[in-house]
Amino acid sequence: MEKLICFWKGYIKIQVRGEQTERFLNLCRGRKICIRNLCCHPDGALTGILAVKDFFLLGPLCRKTGVRIHIVEKHGLPFFFYRSKKRKAFFLGILLCIGLLIFLSGHIWNIRIEGNRQCSTGEILEFLDDQGITHGISRKKINCSEIAAAVREKYPEITWVSAKLEGIRLTLEVQEGIFTGDDMPKEQTASSLAAEKDGTIVKMVTRAGVPLLHPGDTCKKGDILVSGVLELKNDSQEVYQYQYVKADADVYIQYKLAYYHEVPMEYQEEVFAGTEKKGGCVRLGNWIFTFGGKKENGWQQSVEYHPWQVTENFFLPASYGKIVRKEYRKTAKKRTEKEAKIVSWEILQAYEKKLMEKGLQISANNVKIEVDHKTCISKGSLEIIEKTGREVPVEIQEQPEERTTEND
């Protein structure tokens, strides 16, 4: 901290010569003039550093003791500005840099979406772009309450939205859910639920509407599963009125999904040759500048970007990266029958994992793995259980005529 203060105020390195140097030092101490890093040379001269304000107090002491003072070096911010007073472009650059930081800090350069699952981040960003909320927009034009209301109106599946500004970042926290009970809009369009695939119904839970098919029945794509038409009957079990509702049900169907995949017994494996090159890059918006060599054939390149961050929430629209290039050579190899089956099984497991991530259930696996001299073939089918039900408009029925009975 003391060094920083000295640099800010400026300090001078002096050389003192004379016959009464000891008396000169005693007088400096008596007047609380601090000389640091004092050093005595073989020729009898003394050197040390002191603050600029203390240097101007040495005149009376020099006349009293008869010593001579010579300025050796000048350091510190005041001397730097004095030496650079003709460098107008340098100071102009500092002012432009400060102005650029002030300008950038007044705009939004990072839009972050949190909590979304059904609605993709790219889809929400495109909607915000249509609303004029883009990267680089001024913070003064941001109205968090209006943004939250617009997102809720655009996406009914989003039940709660919170928009807040953190530095140069706009953060949208959303919660997705299903409207039930009092949250359901009062104005509903009557509709029925139709099958989206061919299959067999394994489970059905109806909350609104009339089920036309039941568990165990087979359905084809387009068949009505739950009708939105309600028949109101009298005591004689005659229909006297039709009412229309929005069908609501959880319907699960089971169907077979064909699977086929080939794994060659002979393949080319990339082996690291031991040669590695490093480079760097700078990304400014959509422009990328690289240095340290170009990408070559037979080399794999990996880039790790690091954004330029001034504070916790102040990210500049630029980043720097580290490029690592490694040389690989292709080597012909052949799998054993056991290795080929293991690879095929791992590929099948990864495929099943992707299906389950989409919300599908796998009830049975009928895939067989066979190996010949050239290829390992996985073929068969998977029995899938999937939720189905696509809303379709109801068919408006003609209201039955009122029947009257005549008394004899």
Side-chain angles (χ1 to χ4, degrees):
M1 188 65 182
E2 183 179 356
K3 293 182 179 180
L4 183 61
I5 295 175
C6 290
F7 177 79
W8 180 265
K9 295 183 177 180
Y11 61 94
I12 300 174
K13 184 176 181 181
I14 62 173
Q15 184 183 70
V16 182
R17 291 180 179 274
E19 297 179 355
Q20 301 185 35
T21 54
E22 293 183 5
R23 184 186 176 193
F24 172 77
L25 295 177
N26 291 331
L27 292 175
C28 289
R29 183 178 181 182
R31 288 164 174 76
K32 296 182 180 180
I33 298 175
C34 180
I35 301 178
R36 296 183 297 274
N37 297 345
L38 192 64
C39 181
C40 181
H41 297 272
D43 58 354
L46 298 177
T47 58
I49 61 174
L50 74 163
V52 176
K53 65 176 183 177
D54 293 337
F55 176 77
F56 294 103
L57 302 177
L58 299 180
L61 305 184
C62 293
R63 290 189 294 270
K64 184 178 293 187
T65 58
V67 299
R68 298 183 302 276
I69 296 178
H70 175 67
I71 298 176
V72 180
E73 297 175 358
K74 299 178 181 179
H75 299 280
L77 200 60
F79 301 106
F80 171 77
F81 282 119
Y82 181 79
R83 290 192 298 266
S84 305
K85 62 181 180 179
K86 294 183 179 180
R87 301 175 182 176
K88 299 179 180 179
F90 174 77
F91 294 101
L92 180 61
I94 294 178
L95 295 177
L96 290 177
C97 182
I98 296 174
L100 181 61
L101 290 176
I102 296 174
F103 172 78
L104 294 177
S105 62
H107 292 71
I108 299 298
W109 300 106
N110 188 5
I111 301 178
R112 185 175 181 180
I113 314 296
E114 297 179 350
N116 57 313
R117 292 185 179 181
Q118 300 180 17
C119 302
S120 64
T121 301
E123 184 181 356
I124 298 178
L125 289 177
E126 288 182 2
F127 170 72
L128 294 177
D129 192 7
D130 295 337
Q131 299 296 316
I133 310 300
T134 59
H135 292 86
I137 187 173
S138 175
R139 286 171 52 94
K140 297 179 181 179
K141 298 181 180 179
I142 298 295
N143 191 318
C144 294
S145 59
E146 291 183 359
I147 294 175
V151 173
R152 285 195 301 268
E153 182 179 357
K154 174 66 177 179
Y155 302 98
E157 59 270 24
I158 296 179
T159 58
W160 179 81
V161 182
S162 173
K164 58 182 178 180
L165 289 174
E166 299 175 336
I168 61 169
R169 174 188 294 172
L170 173 62
T171 303
L172 265 68
E173 297 180 2
V174 303
Q175 289 184 1
E176 299 173 338
I178 301 175
F179 290 104
T180 57
D182 298 335
D183 296 331
M184 182 69 73
K186 296 181 179 180
E187 296 182 0
Q188 301 182 9
T189 304
S191 61
S192 300
L193 295 180
E196 298 175 281
K197 289 185 176 68
D198 299 347
T200 303
I201 300 176
V202 294
K203 182 180 179 181
M204 177 183 288
V205 178
T206 305
R207 289 182 289 271
V210 179
L212 303 184
L213 297 177
H214 301 85
D217 297 340
T218 59
C219 63
K220 294 184 179 181
K221 182 178 179 180
D223 289 351
I224 301 299
L225 303 175
V226 180
S227 174
V229 181
L230 301 181
E231 297 180 350
L232 302 183
K233 299 181 179 181
N234 54 23
D235 296 339
S236 302
Q237 298 301 312
E238 296 177 345
V239 178
Y240 67 89
Q241 188 180 1
Y242 294 106
Q243 287 188 356
Y244 303 96
V245 298
K246 183 176 182 179
D248 184 13
D250 294 333
V251 184
Y252 295 87
I253 63 170
Q254 180 176 342
Y255 60 91
K256 291 185 178 181
L257 180 64
Y259 179 83
Y260 183 87
H261 191 272
E262 293 183 359
V263 175
M265 301 297 290
E266 297 180 355
Y267 64 101
Q268 297 286 333
E269 183 180 14
E270 293 183 344
V271 181
F272 179 50
T275 305
E276 182 177 317
K277 296 181 181 179
K278 295 183 179 180
C281 63
V282 177
R283 182 169 62 182
L284 299 173
N286 296 327
W287 293 282
I288 299 178
F289 306 93
T290 60
F291 50 90
K294 298 181 179 180
K295 188 175 181 181
E296 305 174 9
N297 293 331
W299 292 70
Q300 288 188 1
Q301 176 176 296
S302 60
V303 183
E304 182 181 358
Y305 286 103
H306 301 278
W308 279 328
Q309 181 178 0
V310 179
T311 63
E312 181 181 359
N313 295 315
F314 189 176
F315 293 87
L316 296 177
S319 59
Y320 66 95
K322 178 182 179 182
I323 301 176
V324 179
R325 299 182 179 93
K326 296 182 179 180
E327 183 182 7
Y328 285 85
R329 297 175 182 173
K330 293 185 177 181
T331 305
K333 288 192 175 183
K334 186 175 182 179
R335 296 185 177 94
T336 63
E337 181 177 343
K338 183 178 180 180
E339 291 175 346
K341 288 185 176 180
I342 291 176
V343 173
S344 299
W345 177 254
E346 291 176 350
I347 295 175
L348 176 60
Q349 292 295 308
Y351 179 70
E352 291 181 350
K353 184 179 179 180
K354 289 183 179 180
L355 294 178
M356 289 186 289
E357 288 176 353
K358 296 179 180 180
L360 307 182
Q361 303 177 24
I362 302 175
S363 61
N365 185 339
N366 301 320
V367 177
K368 294 183 179 181
I369 302 176
E370 299 176 352
V371 180
D372 57 21
H373 63 286
K374 289 186 178 181
T375 311
C376 179
I377 301 176
S378 305
K379 60 181 179 180
S381 63
L382 301 173
E383 294 187 7
I384 306 296
I385 298 178
E386 180 182 0
K387 184 178 180 180
T388 188
R390 177 174 55 89
E391 293 185 4
V392 295
V394 298
E395 296 182 3
I396 305 299
Q397 305 289 331
E398 184 178 353
Q399 294 291 347
E401 297 180 357
E402 297 183 1
R403 299 184 180 181
T404 58
T405 58
E406 296 181 356
N407 296 328
D408 294 336

